[in-house]
């Protein structure tokens, strides 16, 4: 394992603290080789799969039922359509859009996921491109969501009354450049960096450190390498990979 990450985990062990992690993978819509590679990489580590509701296919539900990996389904927006104004950052939900229309989309999407995936669908909302206007965030709990998950250290434990925030913190793809894997070293450093910030009190100490992957983008060998790192972390005495359902309570 990367030396920086091992040293950081050792500090958590020395302090008799548990370094909590979770693994979110975005943009699932159907089954296929990339999804199979994600499951193989995860093995016994639980996965939180952010699924695009209106594109989700029955084949995806069948693949989840067939895998030995523990997989929870999170709501990834509605159609994953970019509604941002030209020249601004991509987003499905924006301050410029009608709030009632966006609310209806989240409701419809949540219903669809429950239809397709049943109890595997849990009340965690993952806005596409990790952007959600505050006005919509304020309505998510009324729709039945209990957690908002975006990117970066959370500014507060709750995103809105009745709505926890549990983000991801390490996204190992160079989205603005090559759109390829940044490498295991960079990934390990990002994980270690968030852990250190939690330990030192510059980030919320109890927010689990979130790994974010995109199974449709990663090369096969890179997904396997990520799985190897995840397994190494899991084998460390201080580390624990949480299931998505744990986030509803423990975060
Ligand atoms: Zn997405």
């Amino acid at each position: 394992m990367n030396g920086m990450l091992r040293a950081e985990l050792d500090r958590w062990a020395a302090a008799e603290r548990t370094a909590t992690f979770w693994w979110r993978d975005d943009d699932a819509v159907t089954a296929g080789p990339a999804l199979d590679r994600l499951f193989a990489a995860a093995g016994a580590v639980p996965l939180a799969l952010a699924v695009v509701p209106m594109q989700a296919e029955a084949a995806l539900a069948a693949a989840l039922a067939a895998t030995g990996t523990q997989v929870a389904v999170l709501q990834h927006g509605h159609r994953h359509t970019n509604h941002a104004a030209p020249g601004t950052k991509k987003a499905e939900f924006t301050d410029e859009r009608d709030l009632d229309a966006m609310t209806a989309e989240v409701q419809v999407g949540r219903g669809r996921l429950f239809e397709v995936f049943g109890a595997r669908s849990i009340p965690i909302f993952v806005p596409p491109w990790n952007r959600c206007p505050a006005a919509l965030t304020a309505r998510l709990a009324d729709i039945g969501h209990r957690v908002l998950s975006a990117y970066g250290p959370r500014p507060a434990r709750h995103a809105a009354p009745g709505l926890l925030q549990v983000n991801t913190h390490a996204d190992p793809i160079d989205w603005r450049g090559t759109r390829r894997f940044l490498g295991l070293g960079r990934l390990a450093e990002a994980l270690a960096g968030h852990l250190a910030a939690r330990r030192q009190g510059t980030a919320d100490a109890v927010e689990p450190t979130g790994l974010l992957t995109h199974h449709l983008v990663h090369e096969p060998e890179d997904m396997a390498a990520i799985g190897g790192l995840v397994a190494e972390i899991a084998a460390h005495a201080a580390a624990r990979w949480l299931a998505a359902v744990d986030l509803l309570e423990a975060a």
Side-chain angles (χ1 to χ4, degrees), residues 109-129:
R110 180 160 155 68
R112 174 101 214 288
L113 288 185
F114 205 78
E115 265 170 40
V116 177
F117 300 99
R120 195 185 291 280
S121 166
I122 62 172
I124 298 181
F125 187 70
V126 180
W129 296 283

Side-chain angles (χ1 to χ4, degrees), residues 26-27 76 80 128-129 214:
D26 285 6
D27 303 340
H76 197 31
H80 213 296
W129 296 283
H214 291 76

Side-chain angles (χ1 to χ4, degrees), residues 28-230:
V29 293
T30 191
L35 191 76
D36 293 341
R37 290 193 291 266
L38 171 67
F39 293 160
V45 169
L47 279 173
L49 200 61
V51 177
V52 182
M54 307 316 284
Q55 297 177 15
E57 297 180 5
L60 179 58
L64 300 193
T67 180
T69 298
Q70 183 187 342
V71 188
V73 168
L74 319 186
Q75 182 178 353
H76 197 31
H78 178 245
R79 294 186 190 279
H80 213 296
T81 304
N82 178 26
H83 289 293
T88 65
K89 289 182 172 174
K90 288 180 180 176
E92 182 164 32
F93 304 111
T94 73
D95 281 318
E96 285 69 39
R97 293 191 60 205
D98 180 72
L99 180 58
D100 288 335
M102 293 191 292
T103 305
E105 287 184 1
V106 176
Q107 279 172 326
V108 167
R110 180 160 155 68
R112 174 101 214 288
L113 288 185
F114 205 78
E115 265 170 40
V116 177
F117 300 99
R120 195 185 291 280
S121 166
I122 62 172
I124 298 181
F125 187 70
V126 180
W129 296 283
N130 293 302
R131 297 190 180 98
C132 194
L136 181 60
T137 298
R139 290 188 169 184
L140 292 175
D142 291 338
I143 297 167
H145 278 297
R146 292 180 46 202
V147 176
L148 171 70
S149 182
Y151 191 78
R154 65 182 176 193
R157 185 161 186 256
H158 288 89
L163 187 74
L164 287 165
Q165 182 150 17
V166 185
N167 289 347
T168 53
H169 312 89
D171 175 356
I173 289 177
D174 179 13
W175 291 108
R176 285 176 208 147
T178 62
R179 296 182 68 85
R180 288 178 61 95
F181 185 48
L182 286 161
L184 270 192
R186 291 278 294 275
L187 173 56
E189 284 171 19
L191 294 168
H194 186 245
L195 284 178
R198 289 170 64 187
R199 184 175 50 78
Q200 293 162 346
T202 53
D204 186 329
V206 296
E207 183 181 20
T209 296
L211 164 65
L212 173 58
T213 57
H214 291 76
H215 65 279
L216 295 169
V217 177
H218 286 288
E219 298 293 333
E221 63 272 24
D222 296 335
M223 182 56 85
I226 291 168
L229 177 63
V230 166

Side-chain angles (χ1 to χ4, degrees), residues 5-45:
L5 180 56
R6 177 171 299 284
E8 182 58 32
L9 285 168
D10 289 346
R11 288 185 201 104
W12 282 71
E16 298 184 348
R17 290 173 64 178
T18 301
T20 46
F21 294 86
W22 72 297
W23 185 349
R24 196 184 100 198
D25 184 278
D26 285 6
D27 303 340
V29 293
T30 191
L35 191 76
D36 293 341
R37 290 193 291 266
L38 171 67
F39 293 160
V45 169

